[in-house]
Amino acid sequence: MPHHTPLISTIVVGLVLAFGLGALAHRLRISPLVGYLVAGVLVGPFTPGYVADQGLANQLAEIGVILLMFGVGLHFSFKELLSVKAIAVPGALGQIAVATLLGMGLAWLLGWSVGAGLVFGLALSVASTVVLLRALQERRLVETERGHIAVGWLIVEDLAMVLTLVLLPAIANLMKGAPEGPLALAFPLLITLGKVGAFVAFMLIVGRRVIPWILHYVAHTGSRELFRLSVLAIALGVAYGAATLFGVSFALGAFFAGMILSESELSQRAASESLPLRDAFAVLFFISVGMLFDPWILVRDFGPVLATFLIIVVGKSLAALAIVRLFGHPKTTALTIAASLAQIGEFSFILAGLGVDLGMLPERGRDLILAGAILSILVNPFLFSLLDLWMKKEPILPEVGEDTAQEAAIEAPRQMTALTNHVILVGHGRVGKFISKKLHAANVPFLVVENNEDKAAQLQQQGIEAIIGNAASPSVAAAANVAAARCLLVAIPDAFESGQVVEQARAINPTLPIIARAHSDAESAHLLKYGASSIVLGEREVAKALIAGIPRTAAEPAAA
């Protein structure tokens, strides 16, 4: 049997070390992600002992990115993506511009050329897909408004970097005095935009029909093995095809595949089937990042490393915070977006490598980018922990004097519902839809509070009363007539926002029965603290239903 097996050894040693150090990090009450990064440092070329294959690790990590973006796409729809374009497009472009200018400023202080500063600044401007999505998924924020904005922002950054990678060779030639002129930029730009447009059109016209059909066909075979294989084949196949045929990134291709599949009722099953592999390959991504880090750069270049780190964590975050607040979103949304973007990752490495190959960026610049990336990724879990602590202490309601036009519109006086002794349902996602269907069938008077305008409009078309806005808002609570309600059902997935809804309703109606949804004992305690009457834990209710279905005697059929 051959003993030279770099693929096997890279996976085995990497995962075993990541497991051990991740468990240790969890024991020390810090994010396991820190343990994964340290595992990468230990198997990298800059520390003694075993050295894993960097090329193989990077390719394995790319599979993790594909599966992660596919999973996110499964929780999105095309309408939801378009619903955040007003903030995601200008916000991402504005933040990229600010970060690029800050990077160019540091490059100027270091005595580099304008071209080097441009590449350096752009590399510091784009966040890591994996780090951002892991943070959102750990807090169940992907399906919230904050999650939609963050992912939309990420997609715009992704597209911007695709264009940058295409244009960079032409920019390098111009800066070297090539005679082609500005027209050298126009042609590759038009070609790239055409390819991206062709890919989107192909997915909406062909993919929307073919992908769900394939999955439904496989599901009807009854083979779980084939179904799991079909999910992986769709995710990886579309991502690879997007990159090969259309020049789109793997991540963007996988996201569109998931988004197309989200319209199928099999989307949840597809998500659960891809979850184990997704998590394993995501760990390999962090290992591959850790392998790039040379700890000695902290000694050789401490000042520039610190400046690079501050641009990523402070400069980018403040720019994102200001932009999101400028567009009228609440402070919690702005802080979540800011924390999400306070790191850089995979696109930064690709851009830095291309810049060095083209002679635009000195190798010292690439080293600073790598150091800034790993330090920012290490710090990112702690930033989210601080944000979690702040959100537990601070109310989510808009502050007086800080309302923009959008917030003012939300807070404007509303006409109160005529319903009394009614049920108020907050959120109309997958859980909310099931509840509203049952209430409607039972002729129970109820209304829905939903901050998604499209969902609210659909409810109104069905003859169901719907109020658009945040249920924690005083004007929305007044319009829903919380004071005269029979019961409040909080079906949104975000426990922090649920806590504010519960607190607001309890202040208005001290005797109101409030039933809220939670995913863990910690979330249950949080909601009970703010005044919830009872909590429904999904896993616990499933267990109760299974136990209730056990026949009392051997001859008795199971309960329906």
Side-chain angles (χ1 to χ4, degrees), residues 312-398:
I312 298 167
V313 175
V314 179
K316 278 179 60 181
S317 298
L318 290 178
L321 180 70
I323 291 169
V324 176
R325 291 294 286 159
L326 188 65
F327 274 81
H329 291 272
K331 191 182 295 181
T332 49
T333 299
L335 287 170
T336 301
I337 302 301
S340 300
L341 299 171
Q343 40 76 23
I344 60 173
E346 53 272 19
F347 259 121
S348 304
F349 309 147
I350 297 170
L351 195 59
L354 181 60
V356 171
D357 291 341
L358 293 172
M360 294 182 70
L361 182 71
E363 291 193 4
R364 185 188 183 194
R366 180 176 59 187
D367 293 341
L368 292 177
I369 290 167
L370 294 175
I374 194 166
L375 291 175
S376 65
I377 292 173
L378 278 169
V379 167
N380 198 252
F382 298 103
L383 294 180
F384 268 99
S385 297
L386 291 174
L387 178 61
D388 292 342
L389 290 173
W390 180 85
M391 291 180 69
K392 287 179 181 178
K393 297 178 182 177
E394 293 291 326
I396 290 180
L397 303 178

Side-chain angles (χ1 to χ4, degrees), residues 152-188:
W153 198 298
L154 190 68
I155 295 300
V156 175
E157 285 192 348
D158 208 355
L159 287 170
M161 289 306 110
V162 168
L163 293 174
T164 300
L165 292 173
V166 171
L167 294 176
L168 207 57
I171 294 172
N173 288 333
L174 285 177
M175 290 190 167
K176 292 175 182 176
E180 291 90 344
L183 288 177
L185 296 177
F187 183 71

